[in-house]
Amino acid sequence: SQQGEEDPQALSIQEGENATMNCSYKTSINNLQWYRQNSGRGLVHLILIRSNEREKHSGRLRVTLDTSKKSSSLLITASRAADTASYFCATDRGSYGNNRLAFGKGNQVVVIP
Amino acid sequence: NAGVTQTPKFQVLKTGQSMTLQCAQDMNHEYMSWYRQDPGMGLRLIHYSVGAGITDQGEVPNGYNVSRSTTEDFPLRLLSAAPSQTSVYFCASSYSGKHTEAFFGQGTRLTVV
């Protein structure tokens, strides 16, 4: 079964607003990662949170991880038109690290200028 | 620094034909993987490799072969193309060890008719 399942949301927000998306997973993980995909392009890594971390920030991104609920959230603050993309969470369960990522179905975010 | 390079970008095959999708990385990454992305399905792992000469199956390996003769290259072979293999294929690479990000190529859009 596929691990990492975002709430299948399609968010449409105004520029300057915050965007929040969620991800749940089923088994133990080493870390959880978020990736962005612009239309027709490859995925770009945004942020990684380890299983022993609860919150992490990177610029306008804030990620939380609740291992007891097996869930994570990604918050993008002060959104910009350039944030329009699909966002995927991925979990790493591999014994040796980042070689077997399980992706969720993705959240499509549209930021209206 | 080219990163992860995939060729071709687009391909149309007839059912039963075979072909090889090329993937090369210039970052000296030990780990390389192939994923397929279908609408509404997220990315699913096809095959992965933790180093030259070492490969293993992922979530959806049937109909695909891989080999890893060098650190840089990780080709994906479709043995006898089927319409169900119509998809976008992504190659990714990363350093070994836990908690490292994956770098993705731009993808190959394959249509099997």
Side-chain angles (χ1 to χ4, degrees):
Chain A
S1 62
Q2 189 167 345
Q3 181 137 283
E5 296 178 342
E6 298 90 350
D7 265 350
Q9 294 181 38
L11 301 175
S12 182
I13 58 176
Q14 296 289 327
E15 201 165 32
E17 294 181 339
N18 296 342
T20 300
M21 56 209 88
N22 301 304
C23 169
S24 62
Y25 57 92
K26 294 184 175 65
T27 64
S28 298
I29 61 172
N30 296 317
N31 61 62
L32 186 143
Q33 305 175 36
W34 287 90
Y35 288 82
R36 184 187 73 227
Q37 183 180 37
N38 292 95
S39 180
R41 307 289 295 230
L43 280 74
V44 174
H45 182 266
L46 294 177
I47 194 166
L48 179 153
I49 186 165
R50 301 183 183 194
S51 59
N52 62 353
E53 298 175 317
R54 292 298 166 257
E55 185 172 316
K56 200 164 184 179
H57 296 256
S58 177
R60 295 183 295 112
L61 304 178
R62 172 179 171 259
V63 172
T64 62
L65 179 65
D66 187 335
T67 52
S68 66
K69 295 181 179 178
K70 291 186 169 59
S71 66
S72 172
S73 67
L74 173 67
L75 168 68
I76 304 173
T77 60
S79 62
R80 305 167 181 169
D83 294 327
T84 294
S86 293
Y87 293 83
F88 294 87
C89 74
T91 54
D92 173 19
R93 297 168 290 160
S95 300
Y96 302 100
N98 192 15
N99 59 345
R100 299 185 65 177
L101 294 178
F103 282 84
K105 295 181 175 64
N107 274 282
Q108 190 167 3
V109 175
V110 175
V111 181
I112 303 166
Chain B
N1 191 347
V4 180
T5 302
Q6 291 185 235
T7 55
K9 288 186 170 54
F10 302 94
Q11 183 70 49
V12 178
L13 285 180
K14 293 183 179 179
T15 297
Q17 286 185 318
S18 62
M19 78 160 295
T20 300
L21 279 62
Q22 301 292 344
C23 176
Q25 53 92 8
D26 61 359
M27 296 173 282
N28 204 30
H29 286 168
E30 295 87 354
Y31 292 165
M32 296 186 75
S33 304
W34 276 102
Y35 296 85
R36 60 178 288 174
Q37 184 178 30
D38 301 298
M41 296 289 291
L43 278 76
R44 292 181 291 170
L45 181 65
I46 305 172
H47 284 287
Y48 67 99
S49 170
V50 299
I54 306 170
T55 63
D56 206 345
Q57 296 180 350
E59 187 182 353
V60 286
N62 292 340
Y64 308 95
N65 268 358
V66 292
S67 61
R68 183 103 178 265
S69 56
T70 67
T71 300
E72 295 77 21
D73 300 299
F74 191 43
L76 178 72
R77 298 183 189 84
L78 279 69
L79 308 173
S80 177
S84 60
Q85 293 179 303
T86 294
S87 187
V88 182
Y89 292 85
F90 289 99
C91 178
S93 71
S94 65
Y95 287 112
S96 62
K98 291 185 178 180
H99 313 309
T100 60
E101 65 179 280
F103 292 79
F104 283 81
Q106 292 300 298
T108 294
R109 185 173 294 273
L110 175 68
T111 302
V112 182
V113 298

